[in-house]
Amino acid sequence: MPTTESFTEKTLSIDLTETDDRVELIWKGKSNDRDPARFLMPILQNALGRGGNGKKQIVIDFASLDYMNSSTFSPLVRILDEAAKGQHRLLLEYNQGRKWQALSFSALKAFETPDGRIALRGK
Amino acid sequence: MRQGRFELKLVPDWDTVKASWDDCHRFLSEHGLDGDQAYALSMTAQELLENAVKYGGFTNAAQRVELYISLDDRDVIIEVKAPAHGDPARLKKLDDTIQWIRGYQSPFEAYVEKLKQVSAQPYAPGESGLGLARVAYEGQCVLDFYVDETDVLAMSAVHHLL
């Protein structure tokens, strides 16, 4: 039975859905807070914890996100780094049809792992 | 012939600066930039404004952060002015960051390298230089700055349209 929790901070909302084999975070709105890590790090750490170090795939879906400032990338890349060092399986999804997302997320391909545990996918 | 100028004087407050996105985007769109260009350059203005609010040397309530956008058929110039921080080390760091970005063959490489640097550091709010690297890469802008005789820091991002 999937469980869903929603987190909202000003213009950004994140829906976290957990099933037997997957933890999914869907971002919507704009992430443009002065210190987005304060809101994001606990959610991202929570998702990593639920993922059970690779037992469940974690999917972070940015396709519906309208904007993120550079400060938002800081917590995100730290989580990618942390996930890569463990056994986590993490998939970042973005909207290939939106140029800013295609540009922003293609840079994050540098964090993909050769074994595919950390991966990005445009959709 | 395309020609236009836009300016805003804003209270150096986070929510005020965020609210300027729509005005920037409208100005750029009305002057013939396509949706992706208008978006990328609105992002550029936001990143520079955010830096000004975070790191500007505001010492009294009357001071403002100023945004100027001018464009013609060749270029879009985005300039953000704010009181310079009193610590010369801040200006040195800004200069070092800009020179560091220029040292890469492509802004994409600089941005990826900056993301890697940030990912490897323990989290602490503060200057990472990520926003400037992003402006160079996603905004396709050449960055520069100067400090005038009244200690105002003017940060510019120039995007070539041709």
Side-chain angles (χ1 to χ4, degrees), chain A residues 24-60:
Chain A
E24 185 176 46
L25 298 166
I26 299 178
W27 293 39
K28 292 175 188 163
K30 292 182 175 182
S31 180
N32 54 10
D33 198 32
R34 182 170 182 142
D35 181 14
R38 189 179 42 81
F39 170 65
L40 292 172
M41 282 306 275
I43 297 169
L44 294 169
Q45 293 283 6
N46 181 0
L48 279 194
R50 290 174 187 235
N53 207 22
K55 290 192 179 75
K56 296 183 183 184
Q57 184 183 39
I58 301 161
V59 179
I60 309 181

PDB file of all heavy atoms in Angstrom, chain A residues 24-60:
ATOM      1  N   GLU A  24       9.551   7.753  -4.051  1.00  0.00           N
ATOM      2  CA  GLU A  24       9.513   8.760  -5.112  1.00  0.00           C
ATOM      3  C   GLU A  24       9.252  10.146  -4.526  1.00  0.00           C
ATOM      4  O   GLU A  24       8.359  10.323  -3.703  1.00  0.00           O
ATOM      5  CB  GLU A  24       8.423   8.414  -6.124  1.00  0.00           C
ATOM      6  CG  GLU A  24       8.402   9.353  -7.310  1.00  0.00           C
ATOM      7  CD  GLU A  24       7.376   8.937  -8.355  1.00  0.00           C
ATOM      8  OE1 GLU A  24       6.225   8.621  -7.963  1.00  0.00           O
ATOM      9  OE2 GLU A  24       7.718   8.914  -9.539  1.00  0.00           O
ATOM     10  N   LEU A  25      10.058  11.103  -4.983  1.00  0.00           N
ATOM     11  CA  LEU A  25       9.871  12.496  -4.584  1.00  0.00           C
ATOM     12  C   LEU A  25       9.516  13.307  -5.830  1.00  0.00           C
ATOM     13  O   LEU A  25      10.310  13.366  -6.768  1.00  0.00           O
ATOM     14  CB  LEU A  25      11.165  13.075  -3.990  1.00  0.00           C
ATOM     15  CG  LEU A  25      11.706  12.428  -2.719  1.00  0.00           C
ATOM     16  CD1 LEU A  25      13.138  12.873  -2.484  1.00  0.00           C
ATOM     17  CD2 LEU A  25      10.855  12.823  -1.535  1.00  0.00           C
ATOM     18  N   ILE A  26       8.352  13.907  -5.822  1.00  0.00           N
ATOM     19  CA  ILE A  26       7.950  14.718  -6.973  1.00  0.00           C
ATOM     20  C   ILE A  26       7.969  16.190  -6.572  1.00  0.00           C
ATOM     21  O   ILE A  26       7.271  16.593  -5.639  1.00  0.00           O
ATOM     22  CB  ILE A  26       6.542  14.313  -7.468  1.00  0.00           C
ATOM     23  CG1 ILE A  26       6.559  12.847  -7.904  1.00  0.00           C
ATOM     24  CG2 ILE A  26       6.104  15.210  -8.625  1.00  0.00           C
ATOM     25  CD1 ILE A  26       5.206  12.319  -8.358  1.00  0.00           C
ATOM     26  N   TRP A  27       8.826  16.949  -7.274  1.00  0.00           N
ATOM     27  CA  TRP A  27       8.976  18.384  -6.971  1.00  0.00           C
ATOM     28  C   TRP A  27       8.047  19.180  -7.879  1.00  0.00           C
ATOM     29  O   TRP A  27       7.988  18.938  -9.081  1.00  0.00           O
ATOM     30  CB  TRP A  27      10.406  18.822  -7.220  1.00  0.00           C
ATOM     31  CG  TRP A  27      11.447  18.237  -6.311  1.00  0.00           C
ATOM     32  CD1 TRP A  27      11.488  16.950  -5.839  1.00  0.00           C
ATOM     33  CD2 TRP A  27      12.603  18.892  -5.794  1.00  0.00           C
ATOM     34  NE1 TRP A  27      12.613  16.782  -5.057  1.00  0.00           N
ATOM     35  CE2 TRP A  27      13.315  17.951  -5.013  1.00  0.00           C
ATOM     36  CE3 TRP A  27      13.115  20.176  -5.916  1.00  0.00           C
ATOM     37  CZ2 TRP A  27      14.504  18.268  -4.369  1.00  0.00           C
ATOM     38  CZ3 TRP A  27      14.310  20.500  -5.269  1.00  0.00           C
ATOM     39  CH2 TRP A  27      14.983  19.563  -4.495  1.00  0.00           C
ATOM     40  N   LYS A  28       7.403  20.197  -7.280  1.00  0.00           N
ATOM     41  CA  LYS A  28       6.536  21.072  -8.068  1.00  0.00           C
ATOM     42  C   LYS A  28       6.708  22.520  -7.613  1.00  0.00           C
ATOM     43  O   LYS A  28       6.917  22.772  -6.417  1.00  0.00           O
ATOM     44  CB  LYS A  28       5.063  20.688  -7.872  1.00  0.00           C
ATOM     45  CG  LYS A  28       4.683  19.350  -8.446  1.00  0.00           C
ATOM     46  CD  LYS A  28       3.242  19.007  -8.104  1.00  0.00           C
ATOM     47  CE  LYS A  28       2.919  17.586  -8.506  1.00  0.00           C
ATOM     48  NZ  LYS A  28       1.709  17.077  -7.868  1.00  0.00           N
ATOM     49  N   GLY A  29       6.607  23.443  -8.560  1.00  0.00           N
ATOM     50  CA  GLY A  29       6.664  24.865  -8.224  1.00  0.00           C
ATOM     51  C   GLY A  29       8.033  25.442  -8.459  1.00  0.00           C
ATOM     52  O   GLY A  29       8.724  25.102  -9.425  1.00  0.00           O
ATOM     53  N   LYS A  30       8.458  26.323  -7.549  1.00  0.00           N
ATOM     54  CA  LYS A  30       9.748  26.985  -7.688  1.00  0.00           C
ATOM     55  C   LYS A  30      10.547  26.815  -6.407  1.00  0.00           C
ATOM     56  O   LYS A  30      10.022  27.032  -5.312  1.00  0.00           O
ATOM     57  CB  LYS A  30       9.557  28.486  -7.928  1.00  0.00           C
ATOM     58  CG  LYS A  30       8.929  28.833  -9.258  1.00  0.00           C
ATOM     59  CD  LYS A  30       8.835  30.346  -9.405  1.00  0.00           C
ATOM     60  CE  LYS A  30       8.315  30.730 -10.771  1.00  0.00           C
ATOM     61  NZ  LYS A  30       8.253  32.191 -10.957  1.00  0.00           N
ATOM     62  N   SER A  31      11.824  26.473  -6.551  1.00  0.00           N
ATOM     63  CA  SER A  31      12.708  26.411  -5.394  1.00  0.00           C
ATOM     64  C   SER A  31      13.636  27.622  -5.449  1.00  0.00           C
ATOM     65  O   SER A  31      14.619  27.617  -6.200  1.00  0.00           O
ATOM     66  CB  SER A  31      13.528  25.113  -5.400  1.00  0.00           C
ATOM     67  OG  SER A  31      14.374  25.091  -4.265  1.00  0.00           O
ATOM     68  N   ASN A  32      13.288  28.654  -4.736  1.00  0.00           N
ATOM     69  CA  ASN A  32      14.079  29.892  -4.805  1.00  0.00           C
ATOM     70  C   ASN A  32      14.268  30.529  -3.430  1.00  0.00           C
ATOM     71  O   ASN A  32      14.395  31.744  -3.305  1.00  0.00           O
ATOM     72  CB  ASN A  32      13.454  30.885  -5.783  1.00  0.00           C
ATOM     73  CG  ASN A  32      11.995  31.163  -5.476  1.00  0.00           C
ATOM     74  OD1 ASN A  32      11.499  30.763  -4.427  1.00  0.00           O
ATOM     75  ND2 ASN A  32      11.313  31.851  -6.384  1.00  0.00           N
ATOM     76  N   ASP A  33      14.300  29.676  -2.419  1.00  0.00           N
ATOM     77  CA  ASP A  33      14.501  30.172  -1.067  1.00  0.00           C
ATOM     78  C   ASP A  33      15.948  30.632  -0.887  1.00  0.00           C
ATOM     79  O   ASP A  33      16.829  30.242  -1.654  1.00  0.00           O
ATOM     80  CB  ASP A  33      14.174  29.055  -0.065  1.00  0.00           C
ATOM     81  CG  ASP A  33      13.944  29.606   1.335  1.00  0.00           C
ATOM     82  OD1 ASP A  33      13.448  30.735   1.453  1.00  0.00           O
ATOM     83  OD2 ASP A  33      14.282  28.908   2.306  1.00  0.00           O
ATOM     84  N   ARG A  34      16.179  31.467   0.106  1.00  0.00           N
ATOM     85  CA  ARG A  34      17.544  31.936   0.377  1.00  0.00           C
ATOM     86  C   ARG A  34      18.437  30.792   0.832  1.00  0.00           C
ATOM     87  O   ARG A  34      19.601  30.723   0.471  1.00  0.00           O
ATOM     88  CB  ARG A  34      17.502  33.042   1.429  1.00  0.00           C
ATOM     89  CG  ARG A  34      18.848  33.629   1.742  1.00  0.00           C
ATOM     90  CD  ARG A  34      18.747  34.866   2.604  1.00  0.00           C
ATOM     91  NE  ARG A  34      20.067  35.429   2.832  1.00  0.00           N
ATOM     92  CZ  ARG A  34      20.342  36.705   2.870  1.00  0.00           C
ATOM     93  NH1 ARG A  34      19.389  37.590   2.706  1.00  0.00           N
ATOM     94  NH2 ARG A  34      21.560  37.144   3.095  1.00  0.00           N
ATOM     95  N   ASP A  35      17.887  29.913   1.646  1.00  0.00           N
ATOM     96  CA  ASP A  35      18.667  28.765   2.136  1.00  0.00           C
ATOM     97  C   ASP A  35      17.838  27.497   1.959  1.00  0.00           C
ATOM     98  O   ASP A  35      17.293  26.954   2.913  1.00  0.00           O
ATOM     99  CB  ASP A  35      19.028  28.986   3.614  1.00  0.00           C
ATOM    100  CG  ASP A  35      19.863  27.850   4.171  1.00  0.00           C
ATOM    101  OD1 ASP A  35      20.381  27.027   3.375  1.00  0.00           O
ATOM    102  OD2 ASP A  35      19.982  27.773   5.406  1.00  0.00           O
ATOM    103  N   PRO A  36      17.723  27.027   0.724  1.00  0.00           N
ATOM    104  CA  PRO A  36      16.840  25.886   0.464  1.00  0.00           C
ATOM    105  C   PRO A  36      17.252  24.616   1.187  1.00  0.00           C
ATOM    106  O   PRO A  36      16.421  23.740   1.443  1.00  0.00           O
ATOM    107  CB  PRO A  36      16.934  25.679  -1.053  1.00  0.00           C
ATOM    108  CG  PRO A  36      17.832  26.706  -1.595  1.00  0.00           C
ATOM    109  CD  PRO A  36      18.401  27.510  -0.475  1.00  0.00           C
ATOM    110  N   ALA A  37      18.517  24.493   1.532  1.00  0.00           N
ATOM    111  CA  ALA A  37      18.990  23.271   2.191  1.00  0.00           C
ATOM    112  C   ALA A  37      18.279  23.029   3.518  1.00  0.00           C
ATOM    113  O   ALA A  37      18.068  21.877   3.917  1.00  0.00           O
ATOM    114  CB  ALA A  37      20.495  23.343   2.417  1.00  0.00           C
ATOM    115  N   ARG A  38      17.903  24.102   4.176  1.00  0.00           N
ATOM    116  CA  ARG A  38      17.237  23.976   5.473  1.00  0.00           C
ATOM    117  C   ARG A  38      15.948  23.148   5.341  1.00  0.00           C
ATOM    118  O   ARG A  38      15.635  22.322   6.196  1.00  0.00           O
ATOM    119  CB  ARG A  38      16.927  25.392   5.977  1.00  0.00           C
ATOM    120  CG  ARG A  38      16.440  25.523   7.388  1.00  0.00           C
ATOM    121  CD  ARG A  38      16.200  26.992   7.723  1.00  0.00           C
ATOM    122  NE  ARG A  38      15.548  27.709   6.630  1.00  0.00           N
ATOM    123  CZ  ARG A  38      14.234  27.679   6.390  1.00  0.00           C
ATOM    124  NH1 ARG A  38      13.456  26.979   7.175  1.00  0.00           N
ATOM    125  NH2 ARG A  38      13.710  28.355   5.390  1.00  0.00           N
ATOM    126  N   PHE A  39      15.222  23.368   4.258  1.00  0.00           N
ATOM    127  CA  PHE A  39      13.989  22.625   3.998  1.00  0.00           C
ATOM    128  C   PHE A  39      14.294  21.276   3.328  1.00  0.00           C
ATOM    129  O   PHE A  39      13.688  20.248   3.657  1.00  0.00           O
ATOM    130  CB  PHE A  39      13.095  23.486   3.099  1.00  0.00           C
ATOM    131  CG  PHE A  39      11.883  22.799   2.534  1.00  0.00           C
ATOM    132  CD1 PHE A  39      10.860  22.356   3.371  1.00  0.00           C
ATOM    133  CD2 PHE A  39      11.741  22.612   1.166  1.00  0.00           C
ATOM    134  CE1 PHE A  39       9.728  21.731   2.841  1.00  0.00           C
ATOM    135  CE2 PHE A  39      10.618  21.994   0.643  1.00  0.00           C
ATOM    136  CZ  PHE A  39       9.604  21.546   1.480  1.00  0.00           C
ATOM    137  N   LEU A  40      15.244  21.290   2.397  1.00  0.00           N
ATOM    138  CA  LEU A  40      15.438  20.123   1.531  1.00  0.00           C
ATOM    139  C   LEU A  40      16.238  18.995   2.170  1.00  0.00           C
ATOM    140  O   LEU A  40      15.934  17.810   1.950  1.00  0.00           O
ATOM    141  CB  LEU A  40      16.135  20.547   0.235  1.00  0.00           C
ATOM    142  CG  LEU A  40      15.306  21.443  -0.692  1.00  0.00           C
ATOM    143  CD1 LEU A  40      16.167  21.962  -1.835  1.00  0.00           C
ATOM    144  CD2 LEU A  40      14.107  20.678  -1.233  1.00  0.00           C
ATOM    145  N   MET A  41      17.271  19.341   2.929  1.00  0.00           N
ATOM    146  CA  MET A  41      18.160  18.272   3.435  1.00  0.00           C
ATOM    147  C   MET A  41      17.423  17.231   4.275  1.00  0.00           C
ATOM    148  O   MET A  41      17.626  16.026   4.077  1.00  0.00           O
ATOM    149  CB  MET A  41      19.347  18.869   4.205  1.00  0.00           C
ATOM    150  CG  MET A  41      20.449  19.430   3.318  1.00  0.00           C
ATOM    151  SD  MET A  41      21.098  18.264   2.096  1.00  0.00           S
ATOM    152  CE  MET A  41      22.321  17.389   3.039  1.00  0.00           C
ATOM    153  N   PRO A  42      16.540  17.651   5.206  1.00  0.00           N
ATOM    154  CA  PRO A  42      15.837  16.615   5.990  1.00  0.00           C
ATOM    155  C   PRO A  42      14.978  15.708   5.111  1.00  0.00           C
ATOM    156  O   PRO A  42      14.901  14.496   5.353  1.00  0.00           O
ATOM    157  CB  PRO A  42      14.963  17.438   6.950  1.00  0.00           C
ATOM    158  CG  PRO A  42      15.617  18.779   7.031  1.00  0.00           C
ATOM    159  CD  PRO A  42      16.228  19.021   5.679  1.00  0.00           C
ATOM    160  N   ILE A  43      14.367  16.280   4.055  1.00  0.00           N
ATOM    161  CA  ILE A  43      13.515  15.472   3.172  1.00  0.00           C
ATOM    162  C   ILE A  43      14.374  14.497   2.361  1.00  0.00           C
ATOM    163  O   ILE A  43      14.057  13.311   2.225  1.00  0.00           O
ATOM    164  CB  ILE A  43      12.696  16.387   2.225  1.00  0.00           C
ATOM    165  CG1 ILE A  43      11.765  17.274   3.047  1.00  0.00           C
ATOM    166  CG2 ILE A  43      11.915  15.563   1.211  1.00  0.00           C
ATOM    167  CD1 ILE A  43      11.102  18.382   2.248  1.00  0.00           C
ATOM    168  N   LEU A  44      15.472  15.005   1.857  1.00  0.00           N
ATOM    169  CA  LEU A  44      16.343  14.150   1.040  1.00  0.00           C
ATOM    170  C   LEU A  44      17.007  13.068   1.890  1.00  0.00           C
ATOM    171  O   LEU A  44      17.118  11.907   1.471  1.00  0.00           O
ATOM    172  CB  LEU A  44      17.396  15.011   0.326  1.00  0.00           C
ATOM    173  CG  LEU A  44      16.837  15.987  -0.725  1.00  0.00           C
ATOM    174  CD1 LEU A  44      17.913  16.974  -1.188  1.00  0.00           C
ATOM    175  CD2 LEU A  44      16.272  15.233  -1.928  1.00  0.00           C
ATOM    176  N   GLN A  45      17.420  13.452   3.097  1.00  0.00           N
ATOM    177  CA  GLN A  45      18.021  12.449   4.010  1.00  0.00           C
ATOM    178  C   GLN A  45      16.998  11.391   4.397  1.00  0.00           C
ATOM    179  O   GLN A  45      17.320  10.198   4.482  1.00  0.00           O
ATOM    180  CB  GLN A  45      18.554  13.137   5.275  1.00  0.00           C
ATOM    181  CG  GLN A  45      19.736  14.068   5.046  1.00  0.00           C
ATOM    182  CD  GLN A  45      21.052  13.316   4.845  1.00  0.00           C
ATOM    183  OE1 GLN A  45      21.067  12.098   4.770  1.00  0.00           O
ATOM    184  NE2 GLN A  45      22.151  14.050   4.753  1.00  0.00           N
ATOM    185  N   ASN A  46      15.784  11.844   4.621  1.00  0.00           N
ATOM    186  CA  ASN A  46      14.693  10.923   4.947  1.00  0.00           C
ATOM    187  C   ASN A  46      14.481   9.917   3.809  1.00  0.00           C
ATOM    188  O   ASN A  46      14.335   8.711   4.027  1.00  0.00           O
ATOM    189  CB  ASN A  46      13.423  11.761   5.193  1.00  0.00           C
ATOM    190  CG  ASN A  46      12.217  10.927   5.566  1.00  0.00           C
ATOM    191  OD1 ASN A  46      12.289   9.702   5.652  1.00  0.00           O
ATOM    192  ND2 ASN A  46      11.090  11.584   5.768  1.00  0.00           N
ATOM    193  N   ALA A  47      14.506  10.441   2.584  1.00  0.00           N
ATOM    194  CA  ALA A  47      14.317   9.564   1.419  1.00  0.00           C
ATOM    195  C   ALA A  47      15.453   8.547   1.314  1.00  0.00           C
ATOM    196  O   ALA A  47      15.217   7.363   1.043  1.00  0.00           O
ATOM    197  CB  ALA A  47      14.226  10.399   0.144  1.00  0.00           C
ATOM    198  N   LEU A  48      16.674   9.006   1.554  1.00  0.00           N
ATOM    199  CA  LEU A  48      17.811   8.068   1.527  1.00  0.00           C
ATOM    200  C   LEU A  48      17.624   6.974   2.580  1.00  0.00           C
ATOM    201  O   LEU A  48      17.870   5.793   2.327  1.00  0.00           O
ATOM    202  CB  LEU A  48      19.128   8.796   1.794  1.00  0.00           C
ATOM    203  CG  LEU A  48      19.825   9.547   0.660  1.00  0.00           C
ATOM    204  CD1 LEU A  48      21.255   9.891   1.064  1.00  0.00           C
ATOM    205  CD2 LEU A  48      19.833   8.767  -0.635  1.00  0.00           C
ATOM    206  N   GLY A  49      17.184   7.385   3.758  1.00  0.00           N
ATOM    207  CA  GLY A  49      16.954   6.415   4.839  1.00  0.00           C
ATOM    208  C   GLY A  49      15.906   5.392   4.452  1.00  0.00           C
ATOM    209  O   GLY A  49      16.068   4.179   4.670  1.00  0.00           O
ATOM    210  N   ARG A  50      14.817   5.851   3.848  1.00  0.00           N
ATOM    211  CA  ARG A  50      13.742   4.937   3.434  1.00  0.00           C
ATOM    212  C   ARG A  50      14.205   3.998   2.316  1.00  0.00           C
ATOM    213  O   ARG A  50      13.682   2.897   2.163  1.00  0.00           O
ATOM    214  CB  ARG A  50      12.536   5.734   2.939  1.00  0.00           C
ATOM    215  CG  ARG A  50      11.792   6.486   4.033  1.00  0.00           C
ATOM    216  CD  ARG A  50      10.710   7.340   3.394  1.00  0.00           C
ATOM    217  NE  ARG A  50      10.057   8.204   4.360  1.00  0.00           N
ATOM    218  CZ  ARG A  50       8.743   8.220   4.564  1.00  0.00           C
ATOM    219  NH1 ARG A  50       7.960   7.431   3.874  1.00  0.00           N
ATOM    220  NH2 ARG A  50       8.216   9.061   5.448  1.00  0.00           N
ATOM    221  N   GLY A  51      15.158   4.502   1.543  1.00  0.00           N
ATOM    222  CA  GLY A  51      15.682   3.673   0.451  1.00  0.00           C
ATOM    223  C   GLY A  51      16.468   2.472   0.941  1.00  0.00           C
ATOM    224  O   GLY A  51      16.702   1.524   0.183  1.00  0.00           O
ATOM    225  N   GLY A  52      16.877   2.522   2.217  1.00  0.00           N
ATOM    226  CA  GLY A  52      17.526   1.346   2.817  1.00  0.00           C
ATOM    227  C   GLY A  52      18.819   0.953   2.134  1.00  0.00           C
ATOM    228  O   GLY A  52      19.098  -0.232   1.952  1.00  0.00           O
ATOM    229  N   ASN A  53      19.588   1.971   1.737  1.00  0.00           N
ATOM    230  CA  ASN A  53      20.907   1.727   1.130  1.00  0.00           C
ATOM    231  C   ASN A  53      20.836   0.756  -0.063  1.00  0.00           C
ATOM    232  O   ASN A  53      21.639  -0.176  -0.170  1.00  0.00           O
ATOM    233  CB  ASN A  53      21.900   1.233   2.179  1.00  0.00           C
ATOM    234  CG  ASN A  53      23.336   1.585   1.808  1.00  0.00           C
ATOM    235  OD1 ASN A  53      23.571   2.517   1.028  1.00  0.00           O
ATOM    236  ND2 ASN A  53      24.291   0.843   2.336  1.00  0.00           N
ATOM    237  N   GLY A  54      19.844   0.992  -0.917  1.00  0.00           N
ATOM    238  CA  GLY A  54      19.765   0.216  -2.148  1.00  0.00           C
ATOM    239  C   GLY A  54      18.609  -0.765  -2.205  1.00  0.00           C
ATOM    240  O   GLY A  54      18.296  -1.318  -3.259  1.00  0.00           O
ATOM    241  N   LYS A  55      17.956  -0.985  -1.048  1.00  0.00           N
ATOM    242  CA  LYS A  55      16.821  -1.930  -1.059  1.00  0.00           C
ATOM    243  C   LYS A  55      15.691  -1.398  -1.937  1.00  0.00           C
ATOM    244  O   LYS A  55      15.041  -2.147  -2.661  1.00  0.00           O
ATOM    245  CB  LYS A  55      16.318  -2.162   0.364  1.00  0.00           C
ATOM    246  CG  LYS A  55      17.280  -2.964   1.241  1.00  0.00           C
ATOM    247  CD  LYS A  55      16.592  -3.393   2.535  1.00  0.00           C
ATOM    248  CE  LYS A  55      17.523  -4.215   3.397  1.00  0.00           C
ATOM    249  NZ  LYS A  55      18.539  -3.390   4.068  1.00  0.00           N
ATOM    250  N   LYS A  56      15.439  -0.095  -1.859  1.00  0.00           N
ATOM    251  CA  LYS A  56      14.411   0.525  -2.693  1.00  0.00           C
ATOM    252  C   LYS A  56      15.050   1.586  -3.578  1.00  0.00           C
ATOM    253  O   LYS A  56      15.950   2.297  -3.128  1.00  0.00           O
ATOM    254  CB  LYS A  56      13.349   1.202  -1.825  1.00  0.00           C
ATOM    255  CG  LYS A  56      12.550   0.262  -0.956  1.00  0.00           C
ATOM    256  CD  LYS A  56      11.473   1.013  -0.190  1.00  0.00           C
ATOM    257  CE  LYS A  56      10.714   0.051   0.735  1.00  0.00           C
ATOM    258  NZ  LYS A  56       9.597   0.713   1.418  1.00  0.00           N
ATOM    259  N   GLN A  57      14.559   1.678  -4.792  1.00  0.00           N
ATOM    260  CA  GLN A  57      15.056   2.745  -5.661  1.00  0.00           C
ATOM    261  C   GLN A  57      14.437   4.078  -5.226  1.00  0.00           C
ATOM    262  O   GLN A  57      13.238   4.157  -4.934  1.00  0.00           O
ATOM    263  CB  GLN A  57      14.697   2.475  -7.123  1.00  0.00           C
ATOM    264  CG  GLN A  57      15.286   3.535  -8.048  1.00  0.00           C
ATOM    265  CD  GLN A  57      14.884   3.348  -9.498  1.00  0.00           C
ATOM    266  OE1 GLN A  57      13.760   2.986  -9.794  1.00  0.00           O
ATOM    267  NE2 GLN A  57      15.820   3.598 -10.395  1.00  0.00           N
ATOM    268  N   ILE A  58      15.259   5.100  -5.203  1.00  0.00           N
ATOM    269  CA  ILE A  58      14.770   6.454  -4.904  1.00  0.00           C
ATOM    270  C   ILE A  58      14.680   7.208  -6.229  1.00  0.00           C
ATOM    271  O   ILE A  58      15.652   7.262  -6.983  1.00  0.00           O
ATOM    272  CB  ILE A  58      15.735   7.182  -3.945  1.00  0.00           C
ATOM    273  CG1 ILE A  58      15.872   6.399  -2.632  1.00  0.00           C
ATOM    274  CG2 ILE A  58      15.255   8.604  -3.680  1.00  0.00           C
ATOM    275  CD1 ILE A  58      17.095   6.748  -1.837  1.00  0.00           C
ATOM    276  N   VAL A  59      13.518   7.760  -6.494  1.00  0.00           N
ATOM    277  CA  VAL A  59      13.312   8.525  -7.729  1.00  0.00           C
ATOM    278  C   VAL A  59      13.003   9.965  -7.341  1.00  0.00           C
ATOM    279  O   VAL A  59      12.090  10.213  -6.546  1.00  0.00           O
ATOM    280  CB  VAL A  59      12.145   7.946  -8.563  1.00  0.00           C
ATOM    281  CG1 VAL A  59      11.932   8.780  -9.822  1.00  0.00           C
ATOM    282  CG2 VAL A  59      12.425   6.496  -8.923  1.00  0.00           C
ATOM    283  N   ILE A  60      13.789  10.885  -7.858  1.00  0.00           N
ATOM    284  CA  ILE A  60      13.505  12.311  -7.635  1.00  0.00           C
ATOM    285  C   ILE A  60      13.082  12.897  -8.974  1.00  0.00           C
ATOM    286  O   ILE A  60      13.865  12.925  -9.920  1.00  0.00           O
ATOM    287  CB  ILE A  60      14.719  13.062  -7.055  1.00  0.00           C
ATOM    288  CG1 ILE A  60      15.269  12.339  -5.824  1.00  0.00           C
ATOM    289  CG2 ILE A  60      14.328  14.485  -6.690  1.00  0.00           C
ATOM    290  CD1 ILE A  60      16.452  13.019  -5.152  1.00  0.00           C
TER     291      ILE A  60
END
